[in-house]
Amino acid sequence: MNFKKFIQNLNKPQKEAVTTSSKNILILAGAGSGKTRVLIYRIAWLLLKKKISPKSIIAVTFTNKAVNEIKNRIKKLLGYDKKEMWIGTFHGLSYRILKTYYKEANLNKYFQIISQEEQLKLIKKIMCDLNINEKKYSYRHVINYINKQKNLGIRPKDILFNNSSEHVWYKIYNSYQKFCNISGLIDFSELILRIYELWKNKPYILKNYHKKFKYLLIDEFQDTNSIQYSWIKMISNKNTNTMIVGDDDQSIYGWRGARPDNINNIVKDFSKLKIIRLEQNYRSTNYIIQAANNLISNNKSRFKKKLWTNSNNGELISVYCASNEIEEAKFVANSIKNSKKSGKNLNNFAILYRKNLQSRIIEEILFKKKLSYNIYGGISFFDRKEIKDSSAYLRLIVNRNDNYAFERIINTPSRGIGKNTLNLIKKISNKYNLTFWDSSKIILSKKLILKKTFSSLYNFIKLINHLDKKTLNIPLHIKVKKIIKGSGLWDFYYKKNEIIGNEKIDNIKEFINSTYEYNYISDKIDPIQLFLSNSILNDINRDKKNSQDSIKLMTLHSAKGLEFKEVFIIGMEEGIFPSETFINKNENIEEERRLAYVGITRAMKKLTITYSIYRNVYGKKNFQKPSRFINELPKKYLKNINISYKKCVYLKNKKINIYNNEKNNKFKIGSKINHSIFGNGFLIQKENRGNNIYLKISFKEYGIKWILSTYVNILNF
């Protein structure tokens, strides 16, 4: 092979990284600088030029997707497969080693890895056995505590406790670990800790790996935690050639233990370390790169690097100030729709957001605009389990004949109604051609089930009837909130939620929030029926979302490692991005800024940032401040594209009630009004109710309705 030709498409720093003879190398690879290419070419260089045995190479990364990409690209580059190399994730490689040395690691031959859900169930059982109050020591905090200790290499015997609270944490961790040891169970954190202990306690085993692996390559190093760093240090000795590839500016997983300062430790712990910076970006236009550089320069704890590109300046970064989240979503959807009309494919576009719950309004508007979309790394809002469960309660209250809803929630939350009872309900239903509801009433009247189950089924029927009666003739958002809380779903997901934070409860809150659009009085259509119908229409959109040509929706965390021609980052407001959880701590703000940097550098050709002056939260208008990250972007790279920008600036400075002081004046009797569901109509009356304005509108097809003014557009006034 002609090696000059082999590396001719690499730039100078990339060539240096691939061909260097230095034993220890730190590659500081900026966004879009070709770091994976460098790692792959380095492996190819070792195999082809240096004639290194593939058995002596080990490459470590973080996801199975990354593992497969590295394997496939090496195979394509070489023209054949090198299966003798060890390429895998920290967890996958640790599992492989433990399967070989299970005895030495004090494990059962058939040890099993448990999932997070199984870990949660086990924690619940242990806390119940220990009679520990889960309200004081939440399941999520317990799991986080145990994982944190393991990531730090700390066993229960190493814990020092000075008060009763610390002693409780110790008791739970100790009992949990004893149960796992006896049962042959290993959680994900335990996998790497076991390897660390194996190598520490059995140095001859570690020595075998020192002999075996002469070349160690680590990808995405900025995502390593403490125990993973120890893993790297142990497997690498004075004879190991180590290449570390990472970017501290893209370290965005601190909440799961990642330590960006591990890059600083590398400099101290690895002798004669050569640092190579990859700063040429091959992805984005110059304006996007310069804006990203300026943003990330506000972080103090970082290795200095400055991206540059040979690409043209490109378009200025668009900043759109919306009155509210609905206008924001409509702007994004209309922008994409207009681009589609001009011939652009939908898969060129990505919409990024800080929290999953932000997808709800975007999905709704995209659906109405008939734009196909796909949730990347997640589930469509109305497809999420907690939302389907909430909808099912509403459906059954509206229609007792809804067998789907009945079956879904009869034992959610758990109320002791098992499969046998449900099968009996279905059997009677089939036999007499009855609904599940009526079949249940027959079972109760004839006492066909045991006393305990009878009581559970009776209470379920009573609950639905009670919720129906209790929520008659009240505004829809209050009705939905009372039903969800009265059904027990709220408490159920609050407790279940302990393992993953507040996401499910946040989604339920957003579900309740979505009902405000239907807060009107109508003789023709029941608001709850209309709301449910439109929710189902979102489900029907599933076929569209699976289309290959579709807009990509995802959180900013999910976007890492991806790129798109045009990117929208929505909800760039204080309290949303940066998240309100992290606003007051400098290290957290730096991570939020790194997340913004990741989002910006996903854009190849065009970047649009949007924010709103106020957002709807339980019917109240919350004023929002633009994110500090917008102010950290140089104005010379930005353009304000909305006509009402000056108005937005005025409102955010004055902090006046936009709803009453601005919009109220626009709604004049006789104005032509448009509603996304009911079409066009004329305003015949308006009323101020607290901070809200309700409009009485005469629609051509749907008659007269009262509607919250947030959800209409003025066509002429």
Side-chain angles (χ1 to χ4, degrees), residues 61-300:
T61 188
F62 275 83
T63 66
N64 289 323
K65 180 184 176 183
V67 169
N68 292 329
E69 182 186 0
I70 292 170
K71 286 181 177 179
N72 291 334
R73 287 175 67 175
I74 290 174
K75 183 178 179 181
K76 186 177 180 180
L77 190 63
L78 299 178
Y80 53 88
D81 201 357
K82 284 287 184 183
K83 293 183 179 178
E84 304 97 322
M85 282 188 297
W86 280 39
I87 302 175
T89 63
F90 281 100
H91 295 98
L93 294 172
S94 296
Y95 178 75
R96 181 173 178 175
I97 294 168
L98 288 176
K99 290 300 286 183
T100 302
Y101 293 103
Y102 63 90
K103 284 184 180 178
E104 291 81 353
N106 298 316
L107 287 169
N108 183 297
K109 183 178 181 180
Y110 304 103
F111 71 87
Q112 293 291 319
I113 301 172
I114 58 173
S115 66
Q116 279 193 322
E117 190 172 342
E118 291 167 324
Q119 190 181 23
L120 174 63
K121 288 179 180 178
L122 180 52
I123 290 295
K124 285 182 177 180
K125 178 184 181 303
I126 286 166
M127 288 178 63
C128 182
D129 292 343
L130 294 174
N131 198 28
I132 294 172
N133 187 346
E134 76 272 12
K135 290 183 179 179
K136 188 174 181 181
Y137 298 89
S138 73
Y139 302 133
R140 177 170 61 89
H141 289 148
V142 169
I143 289 173
N144 287 343
Y145 172 81
I146 291 173
N147 290 341
K148 182 179 179 181
Q149 300 309 309
K150 292 188 177 187
N151 289 338
L152 293 171
I154 297 173
R155 290 293 190 189
K157 64 181 177 59
D158 303 317
I159 294 174
L160 300 175
F161 42 86
N162 300 313
N163 55 52
S164 58
S165 179
E166 290 175 355
H167 186 251
V168 172
W169 292 109
Y170 159 79
K171 280 172 63 179
I172 300 170
Y173 183 15
N174 190 50
S175 298
Y176 168 81
Q177 197 56 51
K178 279 184 178 179
F179 185 93
C180 287
N181 292 342
I182 292 169
S183 307
L185 302 176
I186 283 193
D187 56 49
F188 287 105
S189 299
E190 180 78 10
L191 274 170
I192 300 173
L193 179 54
R194 285 275 174 161
I195 291 296
Y196 170 78
E197 291 172 339
L198 174 69
W199 288 342
K200 183 180 178 182
N201 299 327
K202 311 285 183 182
Y204 68 91
I205 295 176
L206 179 59
K207 193 174 180 180
N208 290 340
Y209 287 106
H210 286 160
K211 289 178 181 178
K212 179 177 177 64
F213 298 122
K214 297 300 181 185
Y215 291 86
L216 169 66
L217 301 97
I218 309 292
D219 193 19
E220 302 286 7
F221 179 77
Q222 75 279 349
D223 295 335
T224 54
N225 60 31
S226 295
I227 198 68
Q228 287 164 342
Y229 183 65
S230 297
W231 191 103
I232 292 167
K233 278 175 58 181
M234 293 184 84
I235 202 170
S236 176
N237 73 347
K238 62 181 181 179
N239 297 317
T240 308
N241 295 267
T242 305
M243 174 186 269
I244 304 290
V245 183
D247 180 10
D248 53 334
D249 289 337
Q250 295 188 75
S251 180
I252 58 174
Y253 299 118
W255 46 276
R256 65 186 191 197
R259 293 169 57 91
D261 58 349
N262 278 346
I263 291 184
N264 294 317
N265 294 331
I266 281 284
V267 177
K268 293 183 292 184
D269 294 338
F270 284 72
S271 63
K272 297 179 181 179
L273 182 73
K274 182 169 188 174
I275 299 177
I276 301 173
R277 287 174 169 82
L278 303 183
E279 297 174 306
Q280 184 176 359
N281 178 281
Y282 291 92
R283 176 186 298 150
S284 306
T285 61
N286 184 50
Y287 284 155
I288 292 171
I289 292 303
Q290 296 307 322
N293 280 335
N294 207 80
L295 173 78
I296 202 63
S297 68
N298 288 280
N299 277 4
K300 305 306 177 188

Side-chain angles (χ1 to χ4, degrees), residues 325-326 360-361 364 368 381-382 387 390-391 394 474-484 507-521 526-535 616-621 675 677-678 694 706-708 710-711:
E325 68 272 30
I326 297 174
R360 197 271 302 173
I361 293 174
E364 184 177 321
K368 289 175 182 175
F381 185 84
F382 284 97
I387 303 304
S390 300
S391 296
L394 304 185
I474 60 176
L476 182 57
H477 67 283
I478 299 175
K479 182 186 190 86
V480 172
K481 188 175 182 179
K482 284 182 177 292
I483 289 170
I484 291 173
N507 286 338
I508 291 174
K509 286 180 179 178
E510 180 61 21
F511 177 75
I512 296 168
N513 203 43
S514 70
T515 64
Y516 277 86
E517 183 175 353
Y518 302 84
N519 272 334
Y520 50 80
I521 302 166
D526 182 7
I528 195 169
Q529 288 180 317
L530 187 60
F531 169 71
L532 289 170
S533 297
N534 280 280
S535 300
N616 237 330
V617 180
Y618 280 8
K620 293 181 180 178
K621 300 295 171 288
H675 187 273
I677 296 171
F678 304 121
Y694 282 82
W706 282 95
I707 299 181
L708 198 63
T710 310
Y711 299 103

